[in-house]
Amino acid sequence: MSARPPRQRVVVGLSGGGDSAVSALLLKRAGHEVVGIFMKNWEDDDSLTDSERHCTSAEDFVDAAAVADVIGIEIEHVNFAAEYKDRVFAAFLAEHRAGRTPNPDVLCNAEIKFKAFLDHALRLGAERIATGHYARVRELASGEVQLLKGLDASKDQSYFLHRLTQSQLARTWFPVGELPKTEVRRIAAEAGLPNAKKKDSTGICFIGERPFREFLGRYLAHEPGPMLDERGREIGRHVGLSFYTLGQRQGLGIGGTKSGGGEHAPWFVACKDLARNTLHVVQGHDHPKLLSGALSALDLSWIAGRAPPPGRYGVKTRYRQPDAACAFEPLAGGFRLAFEQPQWAVTPGQSAVLYDGEVCLGGGVIAHAEALQAMPA
């Protein structure tokens, strides 16, 4: 954490995990007045039995409260479930119905964690908010703020934060963004935080560890249809196009093994044809129909409030992938990216996030990927 003004009132989003706990601890040690907020974003599972429930919200709150007690700060439990359902989950379902694969974590950050949560924190008299994300904020001499990658490249979460605005980032601190994960765990252990050894959360809370298809089936109608290979032969049946994503290998039920070759090579989803209710699949991870040379994106959001100039940048088309070199071309209402090297399973509905070195510029939602080989009509 760089030099900051003396004592400020900071509201920290405590998730129950170690990263947010250490964030609160570091801010308290720096002399700030720290208040913890635990956000409940999902309550549709509240009527389920313990054996049926997958979201660990209640357990996470217990962990967050225990952390607040050790650090010596107040904690408040706030329910944003209605806002989450209206602003995030409705869009999540609409995208799946349209045959795309949305990323709800991106929208949750923009609409809940850095909007509803920020608004609540300001009502509590906060001057800043803080979270346990692995990212950084840099203020330029002009007063503009930049979103930077976390210093731990293996944990960087700037991809999920690319829709944040200048006003949101100007009030946000990411204390662990300047630390490697190993150091965060060391600090937590030395401070005796009760969740120091807690596993990192994966996925989004309302899905948790449950089978994704089972969860979506509670909310989406599904119409089975043919599963075709690249020669147009029906080799299986899908259970509903909404339950599949490009590049998917598991759960197809048509044979193939992870390490197999030839006729035993694994199958992957290459295309979803909503008009014909058809799922197209191909064999082999590096099949040309899984590779794209370019993409177009819409629904843009730029950290600086304006699009970057045309040129060469790095892009992530999914989380946890290295930046891919690309040529950026602004278009009316969107942009086009041409990759230097073909990219695998570029998926409509996911975010294409642009980078200039360590600076996250923003991005858009992938509308179309230009495959190296088109599927048959």
Side-chain angles (χ1 to χ4, degrees):
M1 292 163 57
S2 56
R4 289 170 181 154
R7 188 176 176 83
Q8 295 192 41
R9 183 172 174 83
V10 186
V11 173
V12 182
L14 287 178
S15 66
D19 298 329
S20 62
V22 170
S23 295
L25 176 66
L26 293 175
L27 290 168
K28 180 73 181 298
R29 286 177 175 177
H32 298 294
E33 179 189 358
V34 180
V35 177
I37 291 286
F38 179 86
M39 290 174 271
K40 182 175 183 177
N41 296 329
W42 189 253
E43 54 188 14
D44 275 21
D45 285 348
D46 287 355
S47 61
L48 301 179
T49 66
D50 289 342
S51 62
E52 295 172 322
R53 189 174 292 119
H54 294 270
C55 182
T56 59
S57 177
E59 298 168 18
D60 287 340
F61 177 66
V62 170
D63 290 341
V67 164
D69 185 59
V70 170
I71 297 175
I73 63 174
E74 296 179 4
I75 185 170
E76 179 184 357
H77 189 294
V78 181
N79 191 325
F80 291 128
E83 292 89 341
Y84 192 97
K85 208 158 194 177
D86 288 344
R87 302 184 195 177
V88 179
F89 191 59
F92 172 82
L93 293 181
E95 284 290 278
H96 274 288
R97 290 189 185 102
R100 295 182 286 270
T101 305
N103 193 317
D105 291 329
V106 170
L107 197 55
C108 179
N109 282 327
E111 294 293 332
I112 306 299
K113 294 182 180 177
F114 296 89
K115 185 171 287 185
F117 167 55
L118 175 58
D119 290 344
H120 184 83
L122 294 177
R123 288 194 293 270
L124 295 178
E127 296 162 273
R128 303 271 183 167
I129 62 170
T131 70
H133 286 94
Y134 284 83
R136 294 172 291 151
V137 177
R138 178 167 65 193
E139 184 173 344
L140 304 179
S142 64
E144 182 178 308
V145 289
Q146 294 179 321
L147 175 64
L148 309 182
K149 295 177 179 178
L151 285 184
D152 188 334
S154 68
K155 298 296 293 182
D156 169 48
Q157 293 173 302
S158 59
Y159 178 89
F160 296 119
L161 302 169
H162 77 275
R163 294 185 70 89
L164 301 191
T165 65
Q166 287 286 297
S167 60
Q168 289 170 326
L169 284 172
R171 290 184 176 272
T172 300
W173 285 340
F174 301 117
V176 300
E178 301 177 21
L179 301 173
K181 178 68 178 185
T182 52
E183 177 67 5
V184 172
R185 287 204 179 277
R186 185 194 66 77
I187 292 171
E190 286 191 355
L193 297 183
N195 57 359
K197 296 183 179 180
K198 187 175 182 178
K199 288 178 58 178
D200 289 344
S201 61
T202 58
I204 43 183
C205 181
F206 67 75
I207 292 177
E209 301 300 325
R210 81 191 82 199
F212 186 68
R213 186 177 297 172
E214 171 193 302
F215 172 77
L216 275 186
R218 290 167 53 184
Y219 300 93
L220 296 177
H222 47 92
E223 180 184 355
M227 193 180 296
L228 306 182
D229 68 8
E230 61 183 310
R231 294 167 59 184
R233 300 175 300 178
E234 182 171 332
I235 58 173
R237 303 284 292 177
H238 67 77
V239 298
L241 293 180
S242 295
F243 303 105
Y244 301 86
T245 187
L246 301 192
Q248 180 176 330
R249 178 179 64 83
Q250 295 181 331
L252 301 184
I254 51 176
T257 60
K258 183 177 181 180
S259 58
E263 63 179 15
H264 299 295
W267 291 90
F268 296 86
V269 174
C271 177
K272 298 195 289 185
D273 185 340
L274 268 67
R276 297 179 175 87
N277 191 34
T278 299
L279 190 73
H280 294 273
V281 295
V282 296
Q283 273 187 297
H285 181 276
D286 297 322
H287 195 287
K289 289 182 173 62
L290 292 170
L291 302 175
S292 295
L295 67 78
S296 57
L298 301 171
D299 190 14
L300 311 186
S301 181
W302 301 112
I303 298 291
R306 61 188 181 278
R312 308 194 75 77
Y313 298 94
V315 66
K316 294 183 190 296
T317 58
R318 63 182 66 225
Y319 180 50
R320 289 195 185 282
Q321 76 168 170
D323 294 3
C326 66
F328 169 74
E329 178 188 0
L331 302 173
F335 63 75
R336 182 178 185 272
L337 300 179
F339 306 120
E340 283 192 6
Q341 299 293 329
Q343 296 299 300
W344 187 81
V346 177
T347 305
Q350 292 286 295
S351 294
V353 180
L354 216 60
Y355 291 86
D356 184 2
E358 67 174 354
V359 180
C360 177
L361 301 175
V365 178
I366 300 170
H368 177 69
E370 299 176 21
L372 296 185
Q373 284 188 15
M375 295 301 298

